[in-house]
Amino acid sequence: SAMLGLLGGLFLGAVFVIARERYDRTIHNPEDAGFYLGLSELGIIPSATAGRSRLYYGRRRRRGQGMALPQGTALPHKEAEEEDCVELVTLKHRSSSLAESFRATLTSILFSSQNGNRPKVLVLTSATAAEGKTTIASNLGVALAEAGQKVLIIDGDLRKPRLHEIFGLANDLGLSDLLRDRNAAVGEAARGLIRETSVPGLALLPAGPHTAAATNLLYSPQLPELLKAVRPEYDMVLIDTPPMLQIADARVLGRLADAVVLIIRSGRTTRDAAQAARDRLVEDGIPVLGAILNDWDPRGGTGYGYHGYYDRYRYYHYREGEGN
């Protein structure tokens, strides 16, 4: 009977694996990007709710006292009035495991190279919506600035811009205005539109007022002139873009950048969608630097034994007083 029970368990387990493979085609684990997409894994961002501290995607009002910042660090005006959100975790929870995962991802990007040169202008995109591009753009920007780099983030999502909200800046003028005025001197106009954030070394070019003809604006001759003008001024330029399967903006910007980084959200992005996004970039001749797996819950994954790693890491920060 014991043997029958063992065989029955093995059979049911095999049935479960086959059924999951057939019906759940989302990407879950760290190794999936390499296995299914043939892309380098640049980083793994654990879920914001997997640890002891509860952070939030998006903006929520404070219910209680927030976490104290290091002395002399100022928060954006709007952000100071809101509950902690994951978009600025690298600034507000500097020693957390989540913040460290962004720094580890940044290290992979800095150590990467295309034709012997480190990419300087990067487009961040994803296959579909709500996969975490803006969260990753803001945290990588903060991490770069902390490392002493001079950084510019360009909000290339002209339909649904959010970066100005995250950093507490106005969006009355921005990228859309620059692209619309084809007679403007790009370098001078850009300097008037780029705004310094509260993070030393980190600047933002907001998207500007909403426009329905966003993709048409990106074909403006002002865009390559803009990237040419900012290259010598910054150590790294990050461009946040809309999801690429529905909207062509990332493909247009990718042709002008050094490389594209594909953001994948664990348990949400399907293999089919991620493969379609990769194929379009490859067909366009756009270098894909690699993929970042976002919102991965180590409690539910099996790849690389990260479950135990993140448990120990969170315990370490908790003992040091950073995880409570």
Side-chain angles (χ1 to χ4, degrees), residues 30 43-47 50-51 97-98 100-102 104-105 296-299 305-317:
I44 305 157
I45 311 300
S47 172
S97 58
L98 187 55
E100 290 295 345
S101 71
F102 284 107
T105 300
W296 178 64
D297 189 347
R299 297 170 300 186
Y306 276 120
H307 185 180
Y309 170 79
Y310 277 112
D311 278 348
R312 292 192 296 273
Y313 202 79
R314 287 197 302 268
Y315 177 75
Y316 167 78
H317 286 294

Coordinates of all heavy atoms in Angstrom, one line a residue, residues 30 43-47 50-51 97-98 100-102 104-105 296-299 305-317:
P30 N 13.1 33.2 -11.6 CA 14.3 33.9 -12.1 C 14.9 33.3 -13.4 O 15.3 34.1 -14.2 CB 15.3 33.9 -10.9 CG 14.4 33.8 -9.7 CD 13.3 32.9 -10.1
G43 N 18.3 41.3 -13.3 CA 18.0 41.5 -11.9 C 16.7 40.9 -11.5 O 15.9 40.6 -12.4
I44 N 16.5 40.7 -10.2 CA 15.3 40.1 -9.7 C 14.8 41.0 -8.6 O 15.5 41.2 -7.6 CB 15.6 38.7 -9.1 CG1 16.2 37.8 -10.1 CG2 14.3 38.1 -8.5 CD1 16.9 36.6 -9.5
I45 N 13.6 41.6 -8.8 CA 13.1 42.5 -7.8 C 12.0 41.7 -7.0 O 11.0 41.4 -7.6 CB 12.4 43.7 -8.4 CG1 13.4 44.4 -9.4 CG2 12.0 44.7 -7.4 CD1 14.8 44.8 -8.8
P46 N 12.2 41.5 -5.7 CA 11.2 40.7 -5.0 C 9.9 41.5 -4.7 O 9.9 42.8 -4.8 CB 11.9 40.4 -3.6 CG 12.9 41.5 -3.5 CD 13.4 41.8 -4.9
S47 N 8.9 40.8 -4.4 CA 7.6 41.5 -4.2 C 7.7 42.5 -3.0 O 8.3 42.1 -2.0 CB 6.5 40.5 -3.9 OG 5.3 41.1 -3.5
A50 N 6.4 40.9 0.2 CA 6.8 39.6 0.6 C 7.6 39.6 2.0 O 7.8 38.6 2.6 CB 7.7 39.0 -0.5
G51 N 8.1 40.8 2.4 CA 8.8 40.9 3.6 C 8.0 41.4 4.7 O 6.8 41.4 4.8
S97 N 16.0 44.9 1.9 CA 16.4 43.9 0.9 C 15.8 44.3 -0.5 O 16.5 44.0 -1.5 CB 15.9 42.5 1.3 OG 14.5 42.5 1.4
L98 N 14.7 45.0 -0.5 CA 14.1 45.4 -1.8 C 15.0 46.5 -2.4 O 15.2 46.4 -3.6 CB 12.7 46.0 -1.5 CG 11.9 46.3 -2.7 CD1 11.8 45.2 -3.7 CD2 10.5 46.8 -2.3
E100 N 18.2 46.9 -1.9 CA 19.4 46.2 -2.4 C 19.2 45.5 -3.7 O 20.1 45.3 -4.5 CB 19.9 45.2 -1.3 CG 20.4 45.9 0.0 CD 21.7 46.8 -0.3 OE1 22.3 46.6 -1.4 OE2 22.0 47.6 0.6
S101 N 18.0 44.9 -3.9 CA 17.8 44.2 -5.2 C 17.9 45.2 -6.4 O 18.3 44.8 -7.4 CB 16.4 43.5 -5.2 OG 15.3 44.5 -5.2
F102 N 17.4 46.4 -6.2 CA 17.6 47.4 -7.2 C 19.1 47.8 -7.5 O 19.5 47.9 -8.6 CB 16.8 48.7 -6.9 CG 15.3 48.6 -7.1 CD1 14.5 48.5 -6.0 CD2 14.8 48.5 -8.4 CE1 13.1 48.3 -6.2 CE2 13.4 48.4 -8.6 CZ 12.6 48.3 -7.5
A104 N 21.6 45.7 -6.9 CA 22.2 44.6 -7.6 C 21.8 44.6 -9.1 O 22.7 44.3 -9.9 CB 21.7 43.3 -6.9
T105 N 20.6 45.0 -9.4 CA 20.2 45.1 -10.8 C 21.0 46.1 -11.5 O 21.5 46.0 -12.6 CB 18.7 45.4 -10.9 OG1 18.0 44.4 -10.3 CG2 18.3 45.5 -12.4
W296 N 8.7 39.5 -7.8 CA 8.8 38.0 -7.6 C 8.6 37.7 -6.1 O 9.3 38.3 -5.3 CB 10.2 37.6 -8.1 CG 10.4 36.1 -7.9 CD1 9.7 35.1 -8.4 CD2 11.4 35.6 -7.0 NE1 10.3 33.9 -8.0 CE2 11.3 34.2 -7.1 CE3 12.4 36.1 -6.2 CZ2 12.1 33.3 -6.4 CZ3 13.3 35.2 -5.5 CH2 13.1 33.9 -5.6
D297 N 7.8 36.8 -5.9 CA 7.5 36.3 -4.5 C 8.4 35.1 -4.2 O 8.1 34.0 -4.7 CB 6.1 36.0 -4.3 CG 5.7 35.8 -2.8 OD1 6.7 35.6 -2.0 OD2 4.6 35.8 -2.4
P298 N 9.5 35.2 -3.4 CA 10.3 34.1 -3.2 C 9.6 33.0 -2.5 O 10.1 31.8 -2.5 CB 11.5 34.7 -2.4 CG 10.9 35.9 -1.8 CD 9.9 36.4 -2.8
R299 N 8.5 33.3 -1.8 CA 7.8 32.2 -1.1 C 7.1 31.3 -2.0 O 6.8 30.1 -1.7 CB 6.8 32.8 -0.1 CG 7.4 33.7 0.9 CD 6.3 34.5 1.7 NE 5.6 35.4 0.8 CZ 4.7 36.2 1.2 NH1 4.4 36.3 2.5 NH2 4.0 37.0 0.4
G305 N 17.0 28.7 -5.3 CA 17.0 28.7 -3.9 C 16.9 30.0 -3.3 O 17.3 30.3 -2.2
Y306 N 16.3 31.0 -4.0 CA 16.2 32.4 -3.5 C 15.3 32.5 -2.3 O 15.4 33.4 -1.5 CB 15.7 33.3 -4.6 CG 16.8 33.8 -5.5 CD1 16.8 33.5 -6.9 CD2 17.9 34.5 -5.0 CE1 17.8 34.0 -7.7 CE2 18.9 34.9 -5.9 CZ 18.8 34.7 -7.2 OH 19.8 35.1 -8.0
H307 N 14.4 31.6 -2.1 CA 13.5 31.7 -1.0 C 14.3 31.8 0.3 O 14.1 32.7 1.1 CB 12.6 30.4 -1.0 CG 11.5 30.5 0.1 ND1 10.6 29.4 0.3 CD2 11.2 31.4 1.0 CE1 9.8 29.7 1.3 NE2 10.2 30.9 1.7
G308 N 15.2 30.9 0.5 CA 16.0 30.9 1.8 C 16.9 32.1 1.8 O 17.1 32.7 2.9
Y309 N 17.4 32.5 0.7 CA 18.3 33.7 0.7 C 17.6 34.9 1.2 O 18.0 35.7 2.0 CB 18.8 33.9 -0.7 CG 19.6 35.2 -0.9 CD1 20.9 35.4 -0.4 CD2 18.9 36.3 -1.5 CE1 21.5 36.6 -0.6 CE2 19.6 37.5 -1.6 CZ 20.9 37.7 -1.1 OH 21.5 38.9 -1.3
Y310 N 16.4 35.2 0.6 CA 15.6 36.4 1.0 C 15.1 36.3 2.4 O 15.0 37.3 3.1 CB 14.5 36.7 0.0 CG 15.0 37.4 -1.2 CD1 15.1 36.8 -2.5 CD2 15.5 38.7 -1.1 CE1 15.5 37.5 -3.6 CE2 16.0 39.4 -2.2 CZ 16.0 38.8 -3.5 OH 16.5 39.4 -4.5
D311 N 14.8 35.1 2.9 CA 14.4 35.0 4.3 C 15.5 35.4 5.2 O 15.3 36.1 6.1 CB 14.0 33.5 4.5 CG 12.6 33.2 4.1 OD1 11.8 34.2 3.8 OD2 12.2 32.0 4.1
R312 N 16.7 34.9 4.9 CA 17.9 35.3 5.7 C 18.2 36.7 5.6 O 18.6 37.4 6.6 CB 19.1 34.4 5.3 CG 19.0 32.9 5.6 CD 20.3 32.2 5.5 NE 20.7 32.2 4.1 CZ 20.4 31.3 3.2 NH1 19.6 30.4 3.5 NH2 20.9 31.4 2.0
Y313 N 18.1 37.3 4.4 CA 18.4 38.7 4.2 C 17.4 39.6 5.0 O 17.8 40.6 5.6 CB 18.3 39.0 2.7 CG 19.1 40.2 2.3 CD1 20.5 40.2 2.2 CD2 18.5 41.4 2.1 CE1 21.2 41.3 1.8 CE2 19.2 42.6 1.7 CZ 20.6 42.5 1.6 OH 21.3 43.6 1.3
R314 N 16.1 39.3 4.9 CA 15.2 40.1 5.6 C 15.4 40.0 7.1 O 15.3 40.9 7.9 CB 13.7 39.6 5.3 CG 13.3 40.0 3.9 CD 11.8 39.9 3.8 NE 11.3 38.5 4.1 CZ 11.1 37.6 3.2 NH1 11.4 37.8 1.9 NH2 10.7 36.4 3.5
Y315 N 15.8 38.8 7.6 CA 16.1 38.6 9.0 C 17.2 39.5 9.5 O 17.2 40.1 10.5 CB 16.3 37.1 9.3 CG 16.7 36.9 10.8 CD1 15.7 36.9 11.8 CD2 18.0 36.6 11.2 CE1 16.0 36.6 13.1 CE2 18.3 36.4 12.5 CZ 17.3 36.4 13.4 OH 17.7 36.1 14.7
Y316 N 18.3 39.5 8.6 CA 19.4 40.3 8.9 C 19.0 41.8 9.1 O 19.4 42.5 10.1 CB 20.5 40.2 7.8 CG 21.6 41.3 7.8 CD1 22.6 41.1 8.7 CD2 21.5 42.4 7.0 CE1 23.6 42.1 8.8 CE2 22.5 43.3 7.1 CZ 23.6 43.2 7.9 OH 24.5 44.1 8.0
H317 N 18.2 42.4 8.1 CA 17.8 43.7 8.3 C 16.9 44.0 9.4 O 16.9 45.0 10.1 CB 17.2 44.2 6.9 CG 18.2 44.4 5.9 ND1 19.2 45.4 5.9 CD2 18.4 43.8 4.7 CE1 19.9 45.4 4.9 NE2 19.5 44.4 4.1

